[in-house]
Amino acid sequence: MKISEIMTKDVISLSVDDTVKHAIDLMKEYNIGSIPVNADGRIVGIVTDRDIILRCAAEGKDLKIEKVRNIMTSNPVVGDRNINGDDAARIMSERQIRRLPIISNNELVGIVSLGDLAVEPNLHEEARGALSEISIPCTHNI
């Protein structure tokens, strides 16, 4: 099954010049945890609720003036709209990511989450494998 049949097609995005507060407002409004970030018509990053907590709030930065470009994860992993669900699950597993922006001609056309894969009957095992790989805990030097 092609990823374009599974992905969420109505995807919001941010500009690198948007504020973190704007990102938070969109996450709250749409009940989402990550938003792709665009510059010059292409995806240059992704900002997650975790980025906001660790790179902004925890450092005492002002959410109303801090720009998304300063806290986003740059050079995000993306998938082409022509890949299939198995390929998306493999990419997500290998890169340990839960969401994969989907592009066509370098433009954002959708996003697929681990949850999207999990609800597809023929992708249950791939989603389970991806979650298993993504959830491997890191070791801490305490």
Side-chain angles (χ1 to χ4, degrees):
M1 176 175 284
K2 287 199 179 241
I3 205 65
S4 60
E5 299 172 45
I6 302 168
M7 70 185 187
T8 300
K9 294 173 181 75
D10 295 325
V11 181
I12 59 167
S13 63
L14 292 163
S15 162
V16 291
D17 294 320
D18 284 329
T19 64
V20 172
K21 173 72 167 97
H22 182 61
I24 292 168
D25 291 343
L26 289 174
M27 286 179 182
K28 181 178 179 183
E29 179 180 348
Y30 292 97
N31 192 28
I32 55 176
S34 70
I35 305 175
V37 180
N38 291 303
D40 300 322
R42 62 184 184 86
I43 296 180
V44 296
I46 192 163
V47 66
T48 66
D49 45 9
R50 190 169 194 272
D51 292 330
I52 291 168
I53 295 299
L54 297 178
R55 297 178 182 161
C56 193
E59 294 183 11
K61 295 177 181 173
D62 188 339
L63 306 172
K64 294 176 185 168
I65 61 171
E66 189 68 33
K67 302 293 183 191
V68 169
R69 77 164 38 104
N70 298 328
I71 67 156
M72 70 183 188
T73 300
S74 299
N75 303 315
V77 177
V78 298
D80 185 86
R81 77 174 306 143
N82 295 315
I83 65 173
N84 63 38
D86 294 332
D87 292 333
R90 181 185 47 76
I91 291 167
M92 295 167 81
S93 177
E94 289 172 358
R95 301 302 295 270
Q96 294 188 308
I97 57 175
R98 295 176 187 267
R99 299 165 195 95
L100 182 66
I102 305 299
I103 62 169
S104 178
N105 297 321
N106 290 322
E107 289 190 24
L108 180 67
V109 295
I111 193 163
V112 66
S113 71
L114 197 53
D116 295 329
L117 298 177
V119 297
E120 284 300 316
N122 59 342
L123 293 173
H124 284 273
E125 288 305 312
E126 289 81 357
R128 185 183 325 198
L131 180 59
S132 175
E133 291 295 318
I134 292 166
S135 301
I136 295 173
C138 62
T139 57
H140 299 283
N141 295 330
I142 299 179

